[in-house]
Every structure is written in C-alpha cells, then in structure tokens.
Amino acid sequence: MKKISSSLSKRILFYLSILSIALIISIFYAFEEAGKNAFKKMEEEKAQVIIDTILPSVAMNLYLGFDNKVKDIITNILKTNKNILGITIINHGKVVSSSIKRKIGSQNYFIFTREIKEPNAENSLGRMHVIYSYEHFNTLMDKYSKLLWQFLIGIILVMVLFGIYIDRLLNPLRRITNELLHYSPKKLFKFNLKDRDDEIGAIASALETMQERIVEYARNQENVNALLEQKVKEKTQELKNRLYIDSLTGLPNRFKLSDDIEKFDEIGLVVLNIDNFKEINDFFGHEIGDKILKDFAQKIHKLFKSGNPKFYRLSGDEFALLFSGKMSKSDIEHFLNIFAEKLEQMIFFHGDKELALHVTMGAALQKEGALEKADIALKKARQKRKLYEIYYDEDKEVEQQYKNNIEWIKKLKKSIELERVVPFFQPIVHVDTKRPKGYECLMRIIDDDGSMVSPVHFLDIAKKSRYYYKLTEIMIEKSCEYFENSRCSFSINLSILDILNTDIVQILKNALKKYSVKDRLILEIVESEGIENYDVIHVFLHEMKELGCQVAIDDFGTGYSNFEHILKLPIDYIKIDGSLIKNITTNKDAELIVSTIVDFAKKKHIKTVSEFVSSEEIYNKVKELGVDFAQGYYFSPPKQFVPKECISI
C-alpha cells in the first residue's frame, strides 16, 4: 500500500513560495534598476538645467575678456548649489577658473563637459567642466529601496497566510486519504464531514455511500467466489481427464502412460497394434470402426481388473499394457503367449457379421526409453511377420538408426526452409571429343558447416517422409531456371513415385513452360526401382515426348533391369549402371553385359551413356565398346556452377 510521504498543502505552499520569491526578486531588481535609471536621468537633467543657466553668462564674460567676472560667477554658483562640487573653465587651452570643493574625494559624482561658444555665433571660446554630486541621487535611491523591501515583506506575509489557508483547506482531504489507505470491507470508515456544503463534504458523502455499496457487493461476491471455486475445481478435473483420458474408450492415454512409467523403478511395457484395422474403417466406415475399438478396449480391460498390467490407448488402433515391477524375459514371453491365445478367442460383431481382430506386439523391459524401445520391437515384429518381439540390447543399432532417421528428417526440413537444397551439375561428354553435350542435375544439401551432403545419405529417408516431393519440386525449379538461357541439354532424375504424383507432374509442366527448356530437358527414370504400372508411366513419357522432352533409363544393367522396359517405353538414352562400368576393365562378365546393352541399343537407335567413368583406362574401354556418351570424375566432379555453352545436342 502506498503511503503519503509529504503533505499536498506543504508541497503547494513550498512550490508557490519558491515561485513567488523568484517572481518578487525579479520584480524587485527590475524596479530597482528602472528607478535607478530614472533618478539618474532626473539628476542629469537638473545638472543640465544649471549648466544651461550659467553658460550664457560665462560665454559673454569670456568673450568680453572679463575673466575675474567669470570667477565670481563660478564662486557664487558653488556657494548657492550644494550638488555642484566643482567647475573648471578653459579658454583657448588656458584655465581661466577652476574651483573644486575640498571634500570631493569622498563623494560619487557626475562630470559634464560643455563647449563654450561666442554669443550669437558658432565660434568656440573653450570648454566648461562641471562636477555634479551623487548625494541627492543616492538619497532618492535609499528611499526607493526601502519602499521596495516593505512591499516584498508584505507579499511574503501574504504568501505565508495563503499557505496556512491552503494547509487548513486540504486537511480534510488528508483525513479522507488516510482512511482510504487503510480501507477494508470489514472496517467501515466515518469522515463526519457531511455537514460541510462544499466539494469536500460532497466527496466525503459520496465515499461513504460507495462504501456501503462495496460492502454489499463484497457479501454477494463471497458467494459468487465460492461458486466459482467449485466450478474451477470441476473444470480442472474435466481438463485433467481430457489430458489423461482417451475420449473414445475412456482408457488412460499416452500422456498418462508417460507419467505412470516415471512412478515405478522397474517396469514391463507391451505395445500392441491391431493388424490392418484401416481396412475395417475403409470397408465399414469410421463409426463402426470406433465401435469395434470401444468393444476391443472393454474386453481387454476386463482381462486385467487387478490393475497390473494397466491398459492404455495410445492412438488410433494402438494400445499399451504397463506392468509395475521387474519382469524377466520368460515372464513377458509367458504373458504374451497367453494374452495372444485370449485375443484369438475374442469375437467382435457388426450386425450379423463376425469379425476377428489380430494384433502385433512389441515389448520392452527397460524403464529408460521404454515406449520407444517397445515401438522398435513392434516394428521389428511387423517386418518379420511375427506375433511379437521383445527389445534386446542388439536392437540398439535399430534404435540408433531410428534416431538417425529422425535427425535427418529435421535436417531436411531445415534445409528446405533455409533454401539449402541446391543442384550440382556433372557434364555428360561425347566419347569421341570429350566435350560436354549437357549435364546431369544432382541434388546436394548444404550442411551447417558449409559442406555438401550427397543424397546417398538422406534420399531413402526422405522417401519415407513428406519432404521427398518438396525436394523433387526444388530440383525441377532450380535446374530449369539455371539452364533457361543455355544451349546445353540437362537431365533431371525422376523416380516412379514422382511420376505417379500428379502434383509433381504439374510442377514439371509449369517449369517447362515458364523457362522454355522443353527441347533441352532429359528425364532420367530410375530403372532400379522397378516399373510395375506401365500404363501410367507410358502415358506420362509419351506426354513429355510430345512436349519436346527426351527420356533416359537410369541405372540400367542391375537390379530390376529388363529389356522389356525398352521395348514398352519411348526411350532416347540408356544410362549404363556404374556398378558395371567401374569393373569393366577387370571383369569380363561386366564387359559382356555392357557390350550386349550397347549392341541392343544401337539396333533400337537408342543412345548409350556410361556412368562412373573414373579413369582413362575405363574411358578407352567404353569408347572401344561403342558407347556414345560418358560421365564421371575422369572428366569432372559435380559442380555448383558450370559453363552453359555446349556442343550441339
């Protein structure tokens, strides 16, 4: 609570006194200076009158040569006028008369000098110096100063009386303030000022009326607060239930599971997932799917009424069982086998249809990272198509790979946001001339330290994320933009996933139109992935060919390689896989396969490109076998910036 540190009346009086004193002093000195100048001017005018009176007589006598008469005039003036202290007459450089009173040295005075002229003429006879006393001027100034000081003292007295009046006037307000500072609805205040008919009385009356209303409001508010507290408790419990309870099944959820794991020193955790539950949703609809999930949750919950294990719903069709206490491998295996038998016996109904649910389970016996480890075991069981798997120490490699994948997903997201995904370009040269006909556009990511990261480290991970298509979009856009004003052909890698994605196809068409590169773009189809949907691929490639693009099969000669692809699809180039080319000088089988591919391609009027040409020996061999174009570090590594002049396509 703020306290009153000083009286308002005293502060008003203090500041008003300072202002008044400053104003009075200023006025005092202004008046004193004005009076001083006025009195001084008045004395000067009196002196001038005296001089003007005696000057004609002095001038006439000097002109007539009556020097003694001049002295008499001067002597008489000094006797009759006490303010004139001395007069000196000089005629043509000669002192005619000089009379000065003896006590002049202790007095302040004026000195006036006037020129003496011939009567009725302008000729100069000499000068007259008059010494005039300050005595009368000082007397006037003393009287004037006394009057000003009397005035100043009077003003100060008025201000003191005014301050006392202000202090008494504000005293009731101080009383009111002190009461308000210590106000409490339980402690009523009384000012006893209602009999005053001024503003202070009105304020006191208004405050007492307001106090009565506040007291009444406080009583009502206490009841409201009690009601609100009850509502808050109810809402808090409701929110807590929403946070920790699954709304569909009424089971504890993932958040509750995480909290419960922390309560125990040792645990056993089983994560189970209903196999192919999406098909039930797709076939019967989500409403029926939700009903079956509720039935499943109720049946499992009844199996474990003791509360150990405790049953949770994690998300969708995924559930968990938490054991409190240490469990051995044999304990958890025994439980999983019995639990699996009971699950197999459960039948669920939709109308007159019987539905059997099958689950896959993953278990972990370590508290640290239990949920993640159980999830890894669950994924392992799915991969092996087993009923369950238990997490062991040897699964740490899988766990590390899992964490590594998560880190790469974060890095991909960051690289896309910061525009660190860039194309690098490696030349594809004519075997005969070693001069580039074009470039292959290869994706790179700029790492935090400025190094370039090859897609071998992240492409497989990207394909499992939502960022894969964004990477393809960036490569299409930046590659087409780079070669917009170039004569070089350039190739972009497209996977089967890209071709089957209608958004990527439309992005490619837009880029061809925007940058006018359709007659120089080669689409490299990654053949190693396998081509299953020939109809869709065939339609896409023919559409691209009609626009002016060319088509190449990439990584041909390994994996799913099939000459049937070449017969079914409109191919312009075959890019022979690097695993064959890099061994072509030492492996006769590799040489035979490459030779077969080249002979077949020539008969089909398809150009061939050898990848991974890393030495002159390999270069000479592919040239000998009749390969049309070559690509590899023997000619140049991929670079971010390359010349845009190439020989004719």
Side-chain angles (χ1 to χ4, degrees), residues 313-538:
R313 185 190 181 202
L314 301 185
S315 63
D317 55 1
E318 193 164 270
F319 296 82
L321 291 163
L322 177 64
F323 292 87
S324 58
K326 183 176 179 60
M327 294 189 73
S328 65
K329 177 190 172 189
S330 59
D331 290 338
I332 198 71
E333 285 181 340
H334 179 69
F335 168 79
L336 290 172
N337 290 325
I338 295 176
F339 183 50
E341 291 178 6
K342 292 186 177 182
L343 286 174
E344 290 294 328
Q345 297 171 5
M346 291 183 182
I347 302 297
F348 300 89
F349 294 94
H350 170 54
D352 58 350
K353 295 181 177 62
E354 290 187 2
L355 300 175
L357 299 182
H358 303 282
V359 301
T360 303
M361 296 178 284
L365 303 177
Q366 304 89 353
K367 176 180 176 179
E368 184 178 356
L371 194 54
E372 291 79 7
K373 290 173 180 176
D375 192 53
I376 289 170
L378 175 64
K379 287 181 171 63
K380 190 175 178 181
R382 281 177 174 169
Q383 291 172 358
K384 294 183 177 181
R385 298 184 182 278
K386 294 177 63 176
L387 176 61
Y388 65 82
E389 276 286 343
I390 302 172
Y391 182 91
Y392 298 108
D393 289 340
E394 54 264 29
D395 293 323
K396 286 183 178 179
E397 184 178 343
V398 178
E399 183 180 359
Q400 184 57 43
Q401 183 62 44
Y402 180 74
K403 292 179 179 178
N404 184 58
N405 291 350
I406 292 175
E407 287 303 314
W408 264 111
I409 294 297
K410 292 179 181 178
K411 188 174 289 189
L412 286 174
K413 180 177 182 292
K414 181 179 179 181
S415 298
I416 291 170
E417 290 174 348
L418 299 179
E419 298 187 5
R420 290 183 180 176
V421 180
V422 296
F424 270 50
F425 312 104
Q426 188 173 39
I428 300 172
V429 304
H430 284 273
V431 169
D432 294 332
T433 64
K434 294 186 180 180
R435 296 179 61 189
K437 70 170 283 291
Y439 296 88
E440 180 179 0
C441 303
L442 302 167
M443 186 189 305
R444 296 290 185 269
I445 283 178
I446 304 174
D447 212 343
D448 291 338
D449 61 1
S451 61
M452 299 298 166
V453 182
S454 167
V456 69
H457 298 288
F458 61 81
L459 194 58
D460 288 340
I461 299 170
K463 286 181 179 179
K464 299 174 185 177
S465 75
R466 58 191 176 93
Y467 299 115
Y468 172 71
Y469 294 114
K470 187 62 180 180
L471 295 175
T472 303
E473 178 185 347
I474 292 171
M475 283 298 296
I476 291 172
E477 182 72 21
K478 290 189 175 182
S479 299
C480 291
E481 182 182 13
Y482 189 84
F483 288 103
E484 180 180 13
N485 299 312
S486 170
R487 294 177 55 195
C488 299
S489 66
F490 64 101
S491 59
I492 297 175
N493 290 283
L494 290 181
S495 68
I496 304 304
L497 291 175
D498 294 322
I499 295 173
L500 297 178
N501 187 296
T502 55
D503 291 334
I504 292 295
V505 173
Q506 189 59 49
I507 287 168
L508 177 60
K509 291 179 181 178
N510 293 341
L512 293 175
K513 184 177 180 181
K514 180 179 179 180
Y515 298 108
S516 302
V517 293
K518 56 188 178 182
D519 56 339
R520 285 174 283 127
L521 176 61
I522 300 170
L523 301 175
E524 292 192 17
I525 310 304
V526 183
E527 195 269 344
S528 61
E529 295 181 346
I531 301 175
E532 297 177 357
N533 195 334
Y534 280 101
D535 292 336
V536 176
I537 305 301
H538 191 273

Side-chain angles (χ1 to χ4, degrees), residues 64-180:
L64 296 175
F66 300 149
D67 293 345
N68 291 331
K69 190 66 173 177
V70 170
K71 292 178 181 179
D72 293 339
I73 294 172
I74 297 306
T75 300
N76 187 49
I77 290 298
L78 289 174
K79 289 180 179 180
T80 58
N81 197 319
K82 65 179 180 178
N83 291 323
I84 296 179
L85 302 178
I87 298 176
T88 300
I89 304 296
I90 298 174
N91 182 20
H92 299 299
K94 177 184 175 183
V95 177
V96 176
S97 174
S98 179
S99 298
I100 298 175
K101 293 181 178 179
R102 291 180 180 179
K103 295 182 180 181
I104 189 173
S106 62
Q107 299 186 35
N108 295 321
Y109 50 82
F110 304 108
I111 297 177
F112 299 95
T113 300
R114 294 288 293 273
E115 186 177 9
I116 304 172
K117 295 181 180 181
E118 294 179 359
N120 300 321
E122 294 297 323
N123 295 328
S124 177
L125 294 175
R127 296 186 304 280
M128 180 171 64
H129 302 286
V130 179
I131 300 173
Y132 194 83
S133 174
Y134 263 3
E135 183 178 355
H136 188 255
F137 168 74
N138 290 335
T139 302
L140 291 174
M141 284 303 301
D142 288 342
K143 293 179 180 180
Y144 184 69
S145 295
K146 288 178 181 178
L147 289 173
L148 287 178
W149 277 110
Q150 291 172 0
F151 173 74
L152 176 62
I153 292 170
I155 292 296
I156 291 173
L157 289 174
V158 170
M159 294 306 301
V160 169
L161 293 174
F162 181 72
I164 294 171
Y165 170 75
I166 291 294
D167 184 68
R168 294 187 63 186
L169 185 66
L170 295 178
N171 187 56
L173 289 179
R174 282 198 295 274
R175 286 172 52 199
I176 293 173
T177 303
N178 288 328
E179 289 287 347
L180 292 176

Side-chain angles (χ1 to χ4, degrees), residues 7-23:
S7 170
L8 179 61
S9 60
K10 291 179 180 178
R11 280 185 287 157
I12 292 175
L13 180 59
F14 174 76
Y15 291 123
L16 190 59
S17 299
I18 293 296
L19 179 63
S20 300
I21 290 171
L23 183 62

Side-chain angles (χ1 to χ4, degrees), residues 22-84:
L23 183 62
I24 292 169
I25 290 174
S26 299
I27 294 172
F28 176 81
Y29 282 107
F31 272 71
E32 186 180 43
E33 190 65 25
K36 181 178 180 181
N37 292 332
F39 292 141
K40 183 177 179 181
K41 187 176 181 181
M42 183 176 67
E43 289 300 306
E44 288 177 351
E45 289 176 352
K46 285 173 61 178
Q48 294 290 354
V49 170
I50 294 171
I51 293 170
D52 289 340
T53 302
I54 63 174
L55 189 60
S57 300
V58 172
M60 179 62 72
N61 286 302
L62 282 178
Y63 178 71
L64 296 175
F66 300 149
D67 293 345
N68 291 331
K69 190 66 173 177
V70 170
K71 292 178 181 179
D72 293 339
I73 294 172
I74 297 306
T75 300
N76 187 49
I77 290 298
L78 289 174
K79 289 180 179 180
T80 58
N81 197 319
K82 65 179 180 178
N83 291 323
I84 296 179

